Amino acid sequence: MRDLSTLPKAHLHLHFTGSMRLETLVDLAQSSRTRLPSSFIDGDPLRVPADHRGWFRFQRAYDTARHLVTSEETMRRIVVEAALDDAAEGSRRLEIQVDPTSYAPFVGGITPALEIILDAARQATILSGVEVAVIVAASRIRHPLDARTLARLAVRYAGQEPGTVVGFGLSNDERAGRTASWGPAFRIAQRAGLASLPHGGELLGPSHVRDVVSALGPTRLGHGVRTAEDPALLDEIVRRGISLEVCPASNVSLGVYHEAADVPLPTLLAHGAQVALGADDPLLFHSRLTDQYEIARSLGLGDAALAELARGSIRASLASPGSKARWLAEVDDWLASDQG
């Protein structure tokens, strides 16, 4: 079996704070004399049930980490370390997702917060060799008018190259709010050429996916794994060319599936879905990008199928055609190599 950490791939579903290294979190906690919950340092991934109480436990843990990100230096450190970690796992492209609202109070507002992250992305690209672009994401637990403000901000920094904003997302608890309320924000972003990258189809099932597709016109769907429950919907997703950002370890940690063997990745692929595997929040789930490919291998995918998964992630990325062509050729080289 070939080494999956050397398989060229793109990483399209990674949250800013959730990408943080555990040792970085420990450093921040020690500096601020903050006591970390045992769940961070006991060596076990977070496991919660797929209900409101479970999501609250997850969000509380995430907020514990986020509240320690209180300086420009820390923000830059997170981006650079995320890129370096991705480089060690064969990633060629990282599209990291952030809501700058959370960090704005410490650096002078949402505009400086985003500019810091974009500048760090450019620096990280040089240091790591991984192209780092940014997705600005609104939160379902904030008012939809806040999302419009973020969309307008994202448009100001729109681009395709590293260190620019390539898409607009919507994250947090899928059960919060009415999806159509965020439609105006997404239309602002789409008119400027930004990709539509909302979450959907993880905590909630096919009917929610239909709402997201109808109201937000996704280019990619964050998670989308539960489209497997409705073959007709899954076929429609494929027909529309909507890629799925599937995060198997996250699905298990958040109680959507009992174990990795239950994640319906083979079903998605059998219907022709273009899938990009992602780590989501490795700080909490203790599972990074290569681990997701190891899970796929455990589900019965051979090296040729794993290579096609990597190609899917590259094609689903928002990188330039030239970069994509180069990385796809590198996947071919990986598959042709004599390893194992």
Side-chain angles (χ1 to χ4, degrees), residues 278-297:
D280 205 0
D281 296 297
L283 175 64
L284 300 175
F285 306 141
H286 297 192
S287 183
R288 288 201 50 83
L289 182 57
T290 298
D291 296 320
Q292 313 312 309
Y293 284 81
E294 294 286 1
I295 291 172
R297 177 174 271 168

Side-chain angles (χ1 to χ4, degrees), residues 204-243:
L204 296 178
S207 62
H208 173 68
V209 173
R210 288 190 177 89
D211 288 343
V212 172
V213 170
S214 173
L216 308 181
T219 307
R220 299 195 307 252
L221 192 59
H223 300 294
V225 69
R226 292 185 60 187
T227 56
E229 298 170 13
D230 186 332
L233 172 63
L234 178 52
D235 289 341
E236 177 66 11
I237 292 290
V238 172
R239 188 189 68 78
R240 287 174 176 253
I242 300 170
S243 301

Side-chain angles (χ1 to χ4, degrees), residues 27-261:
D27 286 349
L28 296 175
Q30 290 175 343
S31 297
S32 63
R33 298 182 179 181
T34 299
R35 182 176 179 180
L36 291 175
S38 60
S39 59
F40 276 113
I41 53 181
D42 62 9
D44 294 323
L46 180 74
R47 290 294 296 267
V48 298
D51 56 22
H52 286 286
R53 183 178 295 273
W55 184 265
F56 173 77
R57 286 173 55 196
F58 161 72
Q59 193 63 56
R60 183 172 59 185
Y62 195 95
D63 287 344
T64 297
R66 182 164 50 195
H67 291 157
L68 293 173
V69 183
T70 58
S71 70
E72 175 179 344
E73 179 185 10
T74 299
M75 294 168 67
R76 290 180 177 276
R77 178 179 178 180
I78 291 171
V79 175
V80 170
E81 289 180 348
L84 291 172
D85 289 344
D86 259 33
E89 296 188 293
S91 176
R92 302 302 198 261
R93 170 87 170 186
L94 169 60
E95 295 177 4
I96 193 166
Q97 186 166 153
V98 65
D99 177 354
T101 308
S102 302
Y103 317 100
F106 310 106
V107 294
I110 59 172
T111 299
L114 180 57
E115 289 181 342
I116 288 166
I117 292 169
L118 292 173
D119 189 61
R122 289 188 285 272
Q123 179 188 30
T125 298
I126 296 169
L127 292 174
S128 69
V130 176
E131 288 192 4
V132 184
V134 175
I135 298 163
V136 172
S139 172
R140 278 185 172 269
I141 63 173
R142 293 195 175 100
H143 197 281
L145 288 176
D146 292 338
R148 298 189 203 183
T149 299
L150 284 176
R152 293 186 184 98
L153 177 65
V155 165
R156 288 172 54 190
Y157 299 92
Q160 186 183 60
E161 63 274 10
T164 63
V165 177
V166 295
F168 187 70
L170 180 65
S171 60
N172 216 297
D173 192 342
E174 293 172 14
R175 294 162 295 205
R178 178 173 163 268
T179 298
S181 300
W182 282 276
F186 275 80
R187 287 190 286 275
I188 290 170
Q190 289 166 325
R191 283 196 294 268
L194 290 174
S196 173
L197 307 172
H199 285 50
E202 184 186 31
L203 298 178
L204 296 178
S207 62
H208 173 68
V209 173
R210 288 190 177 89
D211 288 343
V212 172
V213 170
S214 173
L216 308 181
T219 307
R220 299 195 307 252
L221 192 59
H223 300 294
V225 69
R226 292 185 60 187
T227 56
E229 298 170 13
D230 186 332
L233 172 63
L234 178 52
D235 289 341
E236 177 66 11
I237 292 290
V238 172
R239 188 189 68 78
R240 287 174 176 253
I242 300 170
S243 301
L244 304 178
E245 303 164 3
V246 176
C247 308
S250 169
N251 297 158
V252 174
S253 284
L254 293 178
V256 178
Y257 301 108
H258 181 66
E259 55 185 299

